[in-house]
């Protein structure tokens, strides 16, 4: 199983980035992909989740209204569009997948996901 993130980089405050998570190698189609981030000295934070079957989504309060998750099932790719970026969004961003998970309406816990990507750095700075 392989998840590969791309699209990170340096952006000014107020700018946008789109992260991609390319998924391959699942014996069965993955059921959900989540996006997480971890800043230095901070705990991992669950940001957003999308369920493959029906597109059900979850957003953490910290990104609601600014980030949008989407999927392209034909390409086995999940995207995270990040707008109105703030310096506090600076972190390493990870995608994670599982074959037996349906995105909750209430939270997003990385312990529910079995497979992880290597991460991509996002830096928001002027």
């Amino acid at each position: 199983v392989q998840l590969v993130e791309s699209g990170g980089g340096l952006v000014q405050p107020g700018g946008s980035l789109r992260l991609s998570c390319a998924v391959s190698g699942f014996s069965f189609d993955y059921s959900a992909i989540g996006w997480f981030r971890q800043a230095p000295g901070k705990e991992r934070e669950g940001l957003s989740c999308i369920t493959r079957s029906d597109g059900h989504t979850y957003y953490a309060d910290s990104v609601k209204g600014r980030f949008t998750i989407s999927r392209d099932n034909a390409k086995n790719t999940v995207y995270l569009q990040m707008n109105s970026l703030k310096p506090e969004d600076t972190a390493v961003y990870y995608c994670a997948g599982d074959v037996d998970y349906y995105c909750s309406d209430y939270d997003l816990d990385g312990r529910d996901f079995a497979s992880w990507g290597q991460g991509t750095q996002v830096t928001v700075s002027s």
Side-chain angles (χ1 to χ4, degrees):
V1 175
Q2 188 175 23
L3 295 92
V4 179
E5 303 95 338
S6 61
L10 173 65
V11 64
Q12 292 187 340
S16 298
L17 283 175
R18 188 177 79 157
L19 304 183
S20 299
C21 175
V23 183
S24 63
F26 278 100
S27 298
F28 301 93
D29 288 335
Y30 68 88
S31 62
I33 295 291
W35 281 100
F36 300 80
R37 68 186 178 191
Q38 189 162 22
K42 294 189 176 181
E43 293 186 355
R44 183 175 61 198
E45 179 185 12
L47 304 176
S48 185
C49 180
I50 189 164
T51 302
R52 180 186 177 93
S53 58
D54 62 4
H56 180 73
T57 58
Y58 163 85
Y59 294 96
D61 288 343
S62 59
V63 303
K64 198 173 295 182
R66 299 189 299 125
F67 291 10
T68 303
I69 194 169
S70 62
R71 76 203 192 288
D72 184 334
N73 288 346
K75 294 183 179 180
N76 261 4
T77 300
V78 172
Y79 305 98
L80 187 68
Q81 178 67 43
M82 307 187 297
N83 298 329
S84 302
L85 284 163
K86 307 173 183 179
E88 51 263 45
D89 293 317
T90 295
V92 178
Y93 283 68
Y94 301 89
C95 64
D98 201 86
V99 297
D100 187 23
Y101 185 73
Y102 188 88
C103 298
S104 166
D105 289 331
Y106 305 107
D107 63 6
L108 182 61
D109 190 334
R111 291 172 295 181
D112 291 320
F113 291 82
S115 301
W116 289 78
Q118 82 290 347
T120 186
Q121 176 71 45
V122 172
T123 302
V124 185
S125 175
S126 55

